[in-house]
Amino acid sequence: MAVAIRVIPCLDVDNGRVVKGVNFENLRDAGDPVELAQRYGKAGADELTFLDVTASKEGRGTMLEVVRRTANEVFIPLTVGGGVRTVDDVDELLRAGADKVSVNTAAIANPEILREMSQRFGAQCIVLSVDARRVPEGGEPQPSGFEVTTHGGTRSAGIDAVEWAKKGEELGVGEILLNSMDGDGTKDGFDIELIEKVRAEVNIPVIASGGAGKAEHFPPAVAAGANAVLAASIFHFGEVAISEVKDALDAAGYEVRK
């Protein structure tokens, strides 16, 4: 039987509120994370992702509280990321009620941390978040043409994005959250070439993120190799309903949980 394609709303949380902008700038308040999470649970979301966008130490305290409150109210898997630097950070988030933890910058600085996390908590709990963009003109060339970025897509990490996803799998992560920084907030559609290139190199699930603007943008991402599709603002501001995305995927012949 085909595995159902997951539809995942992403909530960027800043000091206990959900925010959304374009390319991580001009952030707008989009509401209370627990209320939004409840709404998405009822609307048929398969999972939820929370990203702590400030992720400072005080941000972490707020975030743990948000995770606890959400886990008590919403009964679909919850992935939490942002500022996860140590094995203890993962432990803390899982104890607060997260099902999976997404790791980004800390893994670039110390890739072996992924192996440690995976060995301690299991591959199914660890997600490697890859913020990828096309190498800009004058940038350091990469074999795939895509590079890993940090600081909300503003700085090059000097690493090939496709190779990095592959390395994440080798180090034991269970999923790749593939964020197109070129697409983030633009609503022009997912970066199909990026998804195809990563899919060709990894065997673990790939979550496509960045660029969704309408329901018909989702099936091409799955055709390119995504196992799950993630979006933020179009869901938060009511532009597209989760049911519309599932209908579009269903119409394209993909298995979805209705």
Side-chain angles (χ1 to χ4, degrees):
M1 188 179 126
V3 177
I5 300 299
R6 292 168 287 147
V7 179
I8 308 174
C10 180
L11 293 83
D12 295 327
V13 180
D14 180 10
N15 295 320
R17 299 290 291 176
V18 175
V19 293
K20 192 59 204 162
V22 177
N23 299 116
F24 291 97
E25 287 171 10
N26 306 321
L27 298 176
R28 289 196 285 170
D29 186 285
D32 174 70
V34 184
E35 280 174 25
L36 271 173
Q38 283 176 303
R39 201 171 87 201
Y40 288 135
K42 291 190 181 110
D46 297 300
E47 292 184 13
L48 289 171
T49 294
F50 277 177
L51 293 179
D52 182 354
V53 292
T54 34
S56 57
K57 211 54 197 160
E58 58 273 26
R60 171 49 46 80
T62 311
M63 197 59 182
L64 285 169
E65 192 43 46
V66 167
V67 172
R68 277 190 201 102
R69 284 171 52 217
T70 305
N72 284 333
E73 300 286 340
V74 183
F75 306 105
I76 52 178
L78 178 60
T79 300
V80 184
V84 176
R85 294 184 180 87
T86 65
V87 171
D88 288 345
D89 288 343
V90 177
D91 190 48
E92 216 173 14
L93 286 164
L94 293 174
R95 284 175 189 278
D99 297 278
K100 304 181 211 176
V101 174
S102 158
V103 189
N104 189 332
T105 312
I108 295 169
N110 172 21
E112 279 300 316
I113 195 89
L114 294 172
R115 197 193 303 278
E116 289 172 40
M117 290 170 173
S118 173
Q119 285 175 347
R120 177 150 168 206
F121 305 106
Q124 76 286 350
C125 290
I126 309 301
V127 179
L128 176 60
S129 180
V130 179
D131 290 345
R133 70 176 176 193
R134 282 178 168 70
V135 176
E137 212 158 304
E140 188 186 327
Q142 298 296 343
S144 72
F146 291 92
E147 65 180 4
V148 176
T149 65
T150 59
H151 301 80
T154 58
R155 289 191 207 170
S156 171
I159 307 171
D160 185 279
V162 177
E163 297 280 315
W164 179 230
K166 191 177 172 182
K167 178 148 192 186
E169 179 175 28
E170 287 163 6
L171 289 166
V173 306
E175 276 187 323
I176 303 292
L177 172 53
L178 186 60
N179 308 304
S180 163
M181 303 316 287
D182 301 318
D184 179 67
T186 61
K187 302 186 184 167
D188 292 334
F190 291 93
D191 191 322
I192 300 304
E193 186 190 355
L194 174 63
I195 299 166
E196 285 174 344
K197 286 191 167 179
V198 170
R199 174 78 288 154
E201 295 296 330
V202 305
N203 298 304
I204 53 176
V206 173
I207 304 164
S209 163
K214 46 193 179 186
E216 47 268 38
H217 285 155
F218 291 83
V222 177
N227 306 87
V229 281
L230 178 145
S233 57
I234 60 166
F235 292 147
H236 304 336
F237 299 116
E239 294 160 44
V240 178
I242 288 166
S243 58
E244 289 175 70
V245 173
K246 291 200 169 185
D247 287 345
L249 289 167
D250 184 38
Y254 298 111
E255 183 86 21
V256 286
R257 290 187 196 92
K258 287 286 190 181

